[in-house]
Amino acid sequence: MTIERQLLYPKHWPAWIGLGLLWLLAHLPRRLSYALGAGIGRLFYYFAKARRHICEVNLKLCFPELSDAEHALLVKKTMRNQGVGLMETLRVWFIAPEKLGVELELLGREHLEVAEGEPGVIVIGTHFTTLDVCGTLIGFQYPSDSFYRKHKNPVFEYILSRSRGRYGEPIHRRDIKRALRRLREGRRLYYLPDQDYGRKSTEFVPFFGIPASTTIATSTLAKGGRARVVYAKQQRLDSGRRYRVEMIPLDNFPSGDPIADARAINALLEENIRLVPEQYMWVHRRFKTRPKGEAGFY
């Protein structure tokens, strides 16, 4: 991508200076980057009080069996991982995957293969702090399209589009027709269905035993794109030196029952979270939308 001339105007210089500083941070040695990310996460714990509150509420709801001490420790670990994930994201923005100095253990890679003339694959990613680094490492080997929401700052939008577009096509989140066409052409689509998207095209499906507003669009995409669906189970190992991702195929998907399909995805997500609960992005208000008449949690 070439830089548009208007992005070089003086009004954008502060954004470019900020990106320059982020570039420098991204090029720190990996171990130092991990340590800095952990330190940033500790600062998040003490100063990002609103996000810490959301994290505390989510973990209380989803892990009621924890003692107060265990809960407090998990909150601290989770906030620490937010900082680690932030530094990992910076690194994949500015550094080529083969130069990151990390290893990817990819299990079930055969489920990502697409035979010539066959429809594509929907890869279900979820909001772990490893999302960007694992998505980049996988995309380097198996290029995948992805939905995106345009950034308000044009300079950051340029950088993000450049990063997203290296291993697949960024598709505007409302351009469903293009996503379906790409899937029918045999492409892969990296898709994230695990946030609270309100009441439109959603159903209340159990997540850790709690009714959670869950999108049913995954079934629509799979049916319209005639695509297979796999879940990307992920975790960070060895202080960010290794990442393990297992591709788990969803059989009989879509099943014809979008609610049952959403239950299946949430069940896989729960299994992944219980493996490494501190690596999930609990700072999002996953239970923001409540059934009518039910009080909010936050």
Side-chain angles (χ1 to χ4, degrees):
M1 295 177 64
T2 57
I3 300 177
E4 298 179 9
R5 179 177 295 181
Q6 59 264 36
L7 293 183
L8 301 177
Y9 291 171
K11 67 177 182 179
H12 296 306
W13 289 357
W16 284 111
I17 292 171
L19 281 170
L21 294 174
L22 294 179
W23 185 93
L24 291 173
L25 288 175
H27 284 81
L28 292 173
R30 186 195 59 79
R31 290 184 180 180
L32 180 56
S33 176
Y34 183 90
L36 178 59
I40 291 172
R42 294 187 186 97
L43 292 176
F44 285 167
Y45 176 82
Y46 289 106
F47 296 104
K49 294 183 179 180
R51 290 295 175 181
R52 188 183 74 193
H53 171 71
I54 293 170
C55 177
E56 290 170 340
V57 172
N58 284 334
L59 291 174
K60 277 287 187 183
L61 290 169
C62 294
F63 296 94
E65 71 276 10
L66 296 182
S67 67
D68 289 345
E70 290 171 331
H71 174 263
L73 180 59
L74 183 54
V75 170
K76 287 184 177 180
K77 287 182 177 180
T78 300
M79 297 302 286
R80 176 175 175 270
N81 272 271
Q82 304 304 308
V84 171
L86 174 63
M87 291 302 298
E88 289 173 341
T89 296
L90 287 182
R91 283 170 59 77
V92 299
W93 277 7
F94 297 109
I95 301 176
E98 66 273 21
K99 297 181 180 180
L100 287 171
V102 300
E103 298 176 14
L104 172 66
E105 181 183 355
L106 182 57
L107 307 176
R109 64 174 63 237
E110 66 272 14
H111 301 301
L112 293 173
E113 301 288 349
V114 179
E116 186 175 353
E118 292 293 318
V121 180
I122 296 174
V123 182
I124 296 179
T126 39
H127 284 83
F128 282 81
T129 56
T130 51
L131 170 65
D132 287 319
V133 64
C134 287
T136 298
L137 292 171
I138 294 168
F140 180 61
Q141 299 182 38
Y142 297 92
S144 305
D145 300 336
S146 60
F147 285 116
Y148 80 99
R149 179 171 57 185
K150 191 172 182 178
H151 198 283
K152 293 180 181 179
N153 185 294
V155 174
F156 278 87
E157 173 59 21
Y158 166 77
I159 294 297
L160 291 173
S161 296
R162 177 176 174 273
S163 178
R164 295 189 200 103
R166 287 180 294 178
Y167 313 113
E169 180 177 315
I171 301 173
H172 192 279
R173 59 179 180 165
R174 293 197 178 101
D175 197 353
I176 303 300
K177 288 184 179 179
R178 181 157 187 79
L180 295 177
R181 185 165 61 251
R182 298 276 291 180
L183 284 170
R184 289 194 290 265
E185 291 172 353
R187 309 289 183 174
R188 302 176 193 87
L189 176 67
Y190 204 61
Y191 182 62
L192 308 172
D194 64 319
Q195 287 192 310
D196 187 323
Y197 295 108
R199 300 185 184 277
K200 187 176 181 180
S201 299
T202 63
E203 295 286 347
F204 285 99
V205 176
F207 179 58
F208 283 87
I210 303 163
S213 177
T214 305
T215 182
I216 57 174
T218 316
S219 300
T220 304
L221 286 169
K223 182 178 180 180
R226 308 186 189 102
R228 292 179 286 116
V229 179
V230 298
Y231 176 80
K233 183 179 180 180
Q234 58 192 284
Q235 64 181 126
R236 179 189 296 110
L237 301 168
D238 297 340
S239 298
R241 189 181 66 81
R242 292 193 301 123
Y243 302 88
R244 178 180 295 147
V245 180
E246 180 182 1
M247 294 298 168
I248 302 174
L250 276 70
D251 297 326
N252 188 34
F253 194 105
S255 66
D257 182 349
I259 298 178
D261 294 343
R263 285 177 180 270
I265 292 172
N266 278 3
L268 283 170
L269 176 56
E270 276 192 44
E271 179 184 336
N272 195 169
I273 289 173
R274 291 187 183 279
L275 179 66
V276 281
E278 70 280 1
Q279 293 182 20
Y280 191 62
M281 292 186 189
W282 293 110
V283 295
H284 291 156
R285 293 188 294 168
R286 184 62 187 89
F287 305 105
K288 175 180 63 176
T289 305
R290 307 309 311 139
K292 292 182 179 180
E294 183 175 313
F297 293 125
Y298 306 104

